[in-house]
Amino acid sequence: SPSGHANDANPVSASIGAAVLAGASTNINGERKSRKKEKRACKRPLSAYNIFFREERKKILESIPGNNAREGDVSSCACNAKPTRRGKKRPHGKITFESLAKMIGTRWKEIGPERLAHYKARAKKETERYTQLVKEYQDKVERAKRQKGENISHEADK
């Protein structure tokens, strides 16, 4: 190749190399990498269905009287359950997620217009609250960046 770079022969590699140099977040195959979310960043708001799902899940699990497994079956005991990947919640062992989701999905399809409006209103409030939190968070980050920039310029003046 005229410039002596190996990437010039393959246009895909050359464009990937250029993207990497330009600061784009791609991996070696040219696929976009997911950005890691900051721990302090706001969580996205729940949709009407998510709010409904959370409430119905709680109702369903409370209506099931304990484990459906036999008493002698140690493998289904919650105390012997391995912690989940995130290490937060242990499985309840009452109902599979698939069955739970199908049940709740059916209930969602049969929901009345008044109740649906209630959940949509709650979701709208969540979205408004989220929008406000994001704005406050972005302002806070921007202030921190400006302050950090001022500190660096003051140190350079010394």
Side-chain angles (χ1 to χ4, degrees):
S1 70
S3 66
H5 292 144
N7 287 344
D8 291 344
N10 184 344
V12 174
S13 296
S15 65
I16 293 170
V20 170
L21 289 175
S25 56
T26 57
N27 64 14
I28 59 174
N29 297 325
E31 300 164 350
R32 291 191 62 71
K33 287 193 264 181
S34 60
R35 288 191 180 143
K36 291 196 176 184
K37 189 173 178 181
E38 287 189 40
K39 289 184 179 182
R40 297 173 297 167
C42 311
K43 288 186 178 182
R44 288 175 43 196
L46 295 176
S47 67
Y49 178 74
N50 293 136
I51 295 169
F52 175 79
F53 191 100
R54 194 179 348 168
E55 288 180 3
E56 289 299 309
R57 177 185 183 276
K58 189 174 180 181
K59 288 178 190 175
I60 291 170
L61 292 179
E62 286 174 354
S63 71
I64 299 174
N67 258 345
N68 294 337
R70 294 171 298 203
E71 289 182 31
D73 187 5
V74 179
S75 63
S76 65
C77 178
C79 59
N80 292 330
K82 293 179 183 175
T84 60
R85 188 174 69 208
R86 293 184 186 163
K88 292 182 181 178
K89 292 184 178 179
R90 290 179 176 251
H92 47 71
K94 295 179 179 181
I95 187 171
T96 64
F97 180 79
E98 182 181 3
S99 301
L100 185 69
K102 283 181 181 178
M103 195 181 301
I104 294 172
T106 303
R107 290 181 184 186
W108 177 252
K109 289 177 186 174
E110 297 169 353
I111 195 171
E114 282 183 17
R115 199 161 169 221
L116 180 63
H118 165 74
Y119 286 110
K120 285 188 175 184
R122 285 179 59 188
K124 188 176 179 182
K125 280 185 184 177
E126 282 270 327
T127 304
E128 290 167 357
R129 187 181 66 81
Y130 171 76
T131 304
Q132 182 63 33
L133 286 173
V134 166
K135 186 175 183 254
E136 290 171 8
Y137 175 75
Q138 288 173 339
D139 290 345
K140 188 176 179 182
V141 168
E142 199 59 39
R143 277 194 309 270
K145 282 183 182 178
R146 269 189 263 125
Q147 190 175 24
K148 187 176 181 181
E150 289 173 8
N151 289 344
I152 291 172
S153 66
H154 288 304
E155 288 178 14
D157 292 341
K158 289 181 183 178

